[in-house]
Amino acid sequence: MMSGFDAAAGNFLVSALRSSTPLLWVLLGEIITQRVAIVNLGVEGQMLVGALSGFAATLATGNPWLGLAAGVAAGMLLSTVHAGLTVGLKANPFASGLAVWMLGFGLSAFYGVPMVGQKINGFAPLPLGFLSGVPVLGPLASQLTPTVVLALVASPLAGWWLYRTKTGLAWRAVGESLVSARTLGLKTSLVQVSGILAGGAFSGFGGAALSVDYTRNWVEGMTAGRGLVAVGLVIVARWNPFLAVPAALLFGGAEALTLRMQTSGVPISSHLLHTLPYLASLAVLVLSSRSANKEGGMPLGLSAVFSQSR
Amino acid sequence: MAIRAALSLLKRSTLLAAALGTAAAGAAEVKVGYIYVGPKSDYGYNYAMDQGRMWVEKNVPGVKTMSFENVPENAEVERVMERMIKSGCTIIFPTSYGYLDPALNVAKKYPKVIFEHAGGFKTAPNLGTFFAGIDDAMYLAGMTAGGMTKTHKLGFLAAHPIPQVLRNINAFTRGAQAVDPLATTTVIWTGTWSDPGKEAEAANSLVDAGADVLTGHVDSPITYTQAAEKRGVMVVGYHADASKFAPKGWLVGAAWNWGPMMGRIIKSVGDGTWKPEHIRGDLKAGDAELTAFGPSVPPKVKEMVLAKEKEFKAGAAQLWTGPIVKQDGAEAAPKGGMLAMASLESMDFLVKGVVGTVK
């Protein structure tokens, strides 16, 4: 027998996972990009073109998997602009990121007009096999969609890639010190570009997860700042893909909690509740920066961008 | 140089005169401009306004329309209005709330052009306003929800606690309670007119809390309607018929019907009887309506709702008649008393049976 409380807790976990998923994808991408010492504020724009392309491709082909693939392609394509500006032309990454953000917003808004009000068929429920018969767990699992499950797999996979493969080693070496990486014979520009493009692929996927799977809808500017939140959460996740899930869950969970507290009839002002995700992230940031080592996991190559004291 | 400037000025004014001449020659055709704050295919507010435009084009002879969508509520909309006027529009419908002051600015510059703002409360010699109360339709939709709910729990996704939204929540709840006295409405404030991600999660939260009918007041009903269908619960629409997004769960919706009112306004401009006034319609006048019922609504519920609709239309029943009891038990209107128009337009409370806070 499961009590009402257990069911509510289970529902909350599913809900937190669902609302964290698009964020988690972008967060993973931004972690990888920052590991090659490039900050990318353009992920918001990359997410938007990913969301639009994913929705459009799903509408055109009827296949949400192709939609996700289109989202990845679009996110990567737009991230080439950031790569070209920051690595190719050595432009200021913040200015370049903002330009990519605006470009992504403008392009998706313009080309998205005919997509508004269209109906797509998202993913069919996951085949659960024996699980579907299990009380509580079955109904909960039935609410998990492919992008949620994939996100949970992608996080350790990205961590493994970063810490256990040659490419990952190259990314990390470049992120720590361009000069030493160069003396090791690494083509640092190529390594940085690959890190930015990998980030673009993840943020494009995150956008497509939002439009194709989570909402099944396209609306202008529908990412609503999730990309920028992910940039901030990189610090909470300490540039570590393995910590991306708890960091994203912290924010997405707090967002889900604000909505759930309203349905539970707790008489707290909704305006106040809407600040909760930001307060929670801020609290973890303060706590973690006090307890951890001084670098906080930040690639040394980034410190020139982030820390004034160094 | 001076001569060239003068010549160019002369040339331009002749062109202008010629343009005005053509406009005058084609006077039988009236050009009407429509401006929307969002996309006209959102199955929401903008969609409903554009349906009105299409009705006008089809049913009012000699009228051509043009429209702009996604126009922000700032100086941009003034430029759009001027562009419309330059391309021959003599009547303009700025349909978003934030267009009122920009419209007043442009109206001053072009006294011959008529402006009809949706929902505003200011006028000028060439600017009037129009809108309609949708409360009665929302009450009828609430009755349908009350007749269908098994859990007695209804969910309402709302953007911001402004009077218009509170009126809809209260009308919906009162309608539901008229059929099912145990019915309660749980409100979730999303804090934004449009964030599909948040709306999807809000809908899921309401379903998890036990609601088996969802409705809402955000820009577009698409996200929550689809989320409801996905979770296998019923849905009541707002703004327009969005039944195609929930073929199974769609019950009914409260929708706008702007066409006839827009047609009357355009005609009154044509025959010289137009005045800068606040035109307000309602269910009775046909400016708000109930959409078609979904397949799951049994005849018994339909008949009950349609009977009440008849009473509203005949003036035999008034929605805002007391007793109207607030959440805290205080009386907003005593038995037999009625809420005045002014207190409706500034409503700041939720009725008993609504779970949620105003602030």
Side-chain angles (χ1 to χ4, degrees), chain B residues 15 145 152 158 189 200 219 261 304 342:
Chain B
L15 274 178
H152 312 292
W189 301 108
D219 269 356
M261 185 190 266
M304 171 188 73

Side-chain angles (χ1 to χ4, degrees), chain B residues 149-304:
Chain B
T149 179
K150 302 219 159 48
T151 61
H152 312 292
K153 278 188 176 177
L154 316 172
F156 202 117
L157 247 105
H160 297 286
I162 59 170
Q164 219 192 0
V165 177
L166 295 171
R167 274 169 77 169
N168 281 335
I169 298 171
N170 290 339
F172 178 79
T173 307
R174 280 166 62 80
Q177 287 171 341
V179 179
D180 175 6
L182 295 177
T184 60
T185 306
T186 302
V187 176
I188 279 198
W189 301 108
T190 59
T192 158
W193 290 110
S194 175
D195 180 346
K198 216 173 220 178
E199 286 158 18
E201 206 40 60
N204 277 311
S205 305
L206 288 167
V207 175
D208 286 342
D212 63 352
V213 184
L214 298 190
T215 188
H217 189 163
V218 289
D219 269 356
S220 168
I222 295 176
T223 303
Y224 72 76
T225 300
Q226 292 196 120
E229 185 83 347
K230 205 169 163 185
R231 294 294 300 273
V233 302
M234 298 173 276
V235 63
V236 161
Y238 181 64
H239 285 314
D241 188 334
S243 53
K244 78 167 187 178
F245 294 99
K248 273 193 250 137
W250 181 266
L251 293 182
V252 76
W256 309 101
N257 180 32
W258 295 118
M261 185 190 266
M262 289 168 173
R264 284 195 300 276
I265 291 170
I266 293 167
K267 272 192 191 140
S268 75
V269 175
D271 59 27
T273 57
W274 184 89
K275 285 193 299 277
E277 55 189 337
H278 298 300
I279 300 168
R280 292 295 181 266
D282 52 21
L283 183 82
K284 200 169 147 186
D287 307 308
E289 59 187 19
L290 212 56
T291 71
F293 289 98
S296 64
V297 184
K300 217 180 83 191
V301 175
K302 277 190 220 175
E303 277 157 24
M304 171 188 73

